Amino acid sequence: MGRGDLTNAEWDQLESYLPPGGARGGRWSDHRRVINGVLYRVRTGVQWRDLPERFGPWETVYKRHRRWSADGTWQMLLSRIQAAEDAVGAIDWDVSVDSTAVRAHQHAAGARKAAPAAVPQKGRAGDEPGRSGLAESGSPPGGGGQIGECLGRSRGGFTTKIHLAAEGRCRPLAFVLTPGHYGDGPQLERVLEQVSVPWAGVGRPRTRPDHVLADKAYTSRSNRRYLRRRGIRNTIPERIDQQRNRHNRGSRGGRPTGFDSERYKKRNTVERAINRLKGFRAVATRYEKRAYIYLGTVTLAALMIWLRT
């Protein structure tokens, strides 16, 4: 077993959720070796063609990663691990939200400008994409041009931005991608809508945090109305210009927002979660042309953080 490969304990947690393979005529074989190959690339950022031979043909490793990014297998594995942690009360539902800009390599440019046509799925009735392995998944909807592939120009140059929500133990709960020049505040609702941790038993997934912490970039009225509507308590500081405008309006300005400075200190959990994600070099620098493949890379990195924390 090489450095960074799945341990026996980690493999035991994932094996039962993966599509069956290895039988005669089956298309899947040796999931563990292929996943270790994807992990090697995500951890080191090497080109796919430069994968060591011990992981098998590089095309197999790349195509498996691309397919599982498209059909949601990586996200399914992350959700299952989160559900197992929540079942034993190991998730701190004080959630912090922030974003980080990721420099896009020059190889990330060049995706087709027109959105790709949907490829019809083939397979037997009842096949479950991502588990049976029999359905031929095409590219997911969306894409097309730099904005469609979440690439933009910002002060950092050619960048993509990862907006994420992290639970109180510095593990990513949910994340979305945008072009690098997009603002943070308008993405709060999108990020929190992605929070969905299934129950171990019967019932709908948990989607509402106990508390949300965020910096001044998220202090808009629309964000506060959204949090009130969902009944989510929050600790978000008010900008100085907002305080001044409220005072100038007198009684029409409304009451000042509550702010717990001691609780706000806990917001560093999202910064530490970002540092953990960027410990994976293929996350810290984006090489993929397609946004859905890069999102799969980020999802796999988050999955490993959950398995190893």
Side-chain angles (χ1 to χ4, degrees):
M1 185 177 67
R3 186 171 74 91
D5 288 355
L6 290 171
T7 64
N8 291 334
E10 293 164 356
W11 173 245
D12 290 341
Q13 294 184 68
L14 297 179
E15 185 178 13
S16 62
Y17 303 132
L18 294 171
R24 183 176 180 179
R27 65 178 300 164
W28 302 119
S29 62
D30 206 352
H31 284 308
R32 186 171 183 176
R33 183 179 70 171
V34 173
I35 292 176
N36 284 335
V38 180
L39 282 177
Y40 182 90
R41 190 265 175 180
V42 172
R43 181 171 58 85
T44 62
V46 301
Q47 294 187 10
W48 289 103
R49 294 175 182 268
D50 294 331
L51 283 176
E53 294 182 358
R54 66 187 178 92
F55 299 120
W58 70 267
E59 297 96 332
T60 300
V61 181
Y62 167 69
K63 289 179 180 178
R64 191 80 55 87
H65 176 55
R66 184 181 66 184
R67 179 188 178 89
W68 285 2
S69 298
D71 67 12
T73 298
W74 293 130
Q75 182 59 48
M76 178 269 294
L77 293 174
L78 178 60
S79 296
R80 296 292 179 88
I81 297 303
Q82 290 176 342
E85 289 289 293
D86 191 41
V88 296
I91 295 182
D92 183 345
W93 284 95
D94 277 5
V95 173
S96 300
V97 179
D98 206 349
S99 72
T100 181
V102 174
R103 189 65 182 265
H105 194 270
Q106 60 185 3
H107 293 167
R112 69 179 88 184
K113 293 184 179 180
V119 178
Q121 294 187 353
K122 304 175 183 179
R124 300 177 304 188
D127 286 346
E128 182 182 352
R131 287 195 56 81
S132 66
L134 296 172
E136 291 289 345
S137 297
S139 299
Q146 288 190 7
I147 299 300
E149 300 297 349
C150 298
L151 292 165
R153 301 283 178 177
S154 65
R155 291 182 179 180
F158 193 40
T159 52
T160 291
K161 189 173 282 189
I162 305 174
H163 305 262
L164 74 156
E167 55 96 44
R169 298 185 179 181
C170 308
R171 296 175 294 189
L173 268 178
F175 32 82
V176 297
L177 302 182
T178 66
H181 60 280
Y182 278 30
D184 293 354
Q187 308 305 321
L188 177 69
E189 183 173 347
R190 284 188 62 197
V191 174
L192 293 182
E193 291 295 329
Q194 293 298 315
V195 175
S196 180
V197 177
W199 294 105
V202 179
R204 287 182 288 183
R206 175 165 183 174
T207 60
R208 189 172 63 179
D210 291 333
H211 204 96
V212 167
L213 301 98
D215 61 21
K216 293 180 180 180
Y218 299 89
T219 186
S220 67
R221 289 184 178 180
S222 60
N223 284 341
R224 294 186 185 275
R225 282 197 300 266
Y226 167 75
L227 294 171
R228 284 197 301 268
R229 186 170 68 250
R230 293 193 59 191
I232 301 175
R233 293 174 297 172
N234 63 87
T235 300
I236 304 176
E238 194 177 29
R239 294 199 308 266
I240 294 178
D241 62 325
Q242 290 178 324
Q243 295 176 4
R244 183 168 54 248
N245 291 337
R246 179 167 45 78
H247 284 299
N248 291 340
R249 297 183 66 186
S251 60
R252 294 177 300 169
R255 294 177 298 178
T257 59
F259 179 72
D260 186 344
S261 58
E262 285 299 316
R263 191 160 199 167
Y264 187 69
K265 294 178 181 179
K266 195 176 179 180
R267 198 191 66 84
N268 70 83
T269 55
V270 68
E271 306 288 354
R272 291 152 63 189
I274 289 171
N275 287 339
R276 287 180 176 179
L277 277 176
K278 286 193 167 182
F280 296 85
R281 296 192 175 200
V283 174
T285 302
R286 174 177 170 175
Y287 299 99
E288 291 84 357
K289 288 181 173 64
R290 297 300 311 277
Y292 79 90
I293 301 179
Y294 181 64
L295 183 61
T297 298
V298 177
T299 304
L300 178 57
L303 172 63
M304 298 312 300
I305 291 173
W306 279 85
L307 286 174
R308 294 174 175 175
T309 303

